[in-house]
Amino acid sequence: MSASAVFVLDLKGKPLISRNYKGDVSMAEIDHFMPLLMQKEEEGALTPLLTHGKVHFLWIKHTNLYLVATTMKNANASLVYSFLYKVVEVFSEYFKELEEESIRDNFVVIYELLDELMDFGFPQTTDSKILQEYITQQGNKLETGKSHVPPTVTNAVSWRSEGIKYKKNEVFIDVIESVNLLVNTNGSVLLSEIVGTIKLKTFLSGMPELRLGLNDRMLFELTGRGKNKSVELEDVKFHQCVRLSRFDNDRTISFIPPDGDFELMSYRLNTQVKPLIWIESVIEKFSHSRVEIMVKGGKEFLMRAHFGLPSVEKEEVEGRPPIAVRFEIPYFTVSGIQVRYMKIIEKSGYQALPWVRYITQSGDYQLRTQ
């Protein structure tokens, strides 16, 4: 089971807009949400799911808004939370900034979106590109004369329209890896993780089928190439266009892509990563009114900073915060993941060019100071 109703509340808990999908939970139940949330917050026992009587509140916070789904049944919580985050994503696509003011300014469009996003408590059309084909951003000027349903809503491939044409057919593939790293003061790595995404930008005519090949360790083992350089992917998450049954059978990533930009997949590698960028820092204090900080990065950069301070008599007791590092390294991935091939198959037989770019960037990359 899924959600009975969805509410958007301001910071005081006042409903700005709501949609009752099933009618089995009183809409007045939302009045209990904010007092319950404040009570749990004061007790230090705040959770993403709150319960009042037989009613469950599944909620998320975004800027100055609360998005809340109610249910009395044993709902699929992960489905409901995924839907709430998808609502945030779709609304942000429409209004750029999702906040209280944008909700108040776009009631008509939001009601239209809520009707299409969910039906009888179950997620329906959640792709913003498809929604934008028939729900415009003109507010009161919405076109009401068009009664036909866009083909993409009823097609088996709901994320791509038919009849797309380009003079030049191309696919741009970005493999982006973010490194999360925590290093203690003696140089030992306390935590390391790689979070990767593969993003595509497609300019392809017709209804092509794409097949993406990676140096996936499980695939190499299945095909007897276990000794080749490969990567063991964990927590893999795909866009809805990927044929999951085929991936489960033979690890082939086969899909009919949406038009334009989209995230094809994400993955995680919980592996030991050597620090890509190393920083040494020394903090010295001088009598009452001066602090000197020296930061050394590898053999190339040295920064020395002096801070003139008001007279300070008391020594700091608190620990020093870690140094957060931001960087981006092109043409490189930490994990060694590679795009081995991208096959593009379309009934007209046209030739298309795939382009691949690799980027490694900092995620939560911190080095503790002495």
Side-chain angles (χ1 to χ4, degrees), residues 32 93 95 112 142 189 205 287 309 345 352:
H32 301 291
E93 286 279 339
F95 315 127
E112 291 261 359
L142 285 172
V189 176
S205 305
S287 57
L309 303 173
I345 305 166

Side-chain angles (χ1 to χ4, degrees), residues 295-307:
V295 178
K296 181 181 179 183
K299 296 181 180 179
E300 297 183 19
F301 300 101
L302 175 65
M303 182 189 81
R304 190 184 297 270
H306 298 268
F307 296 92

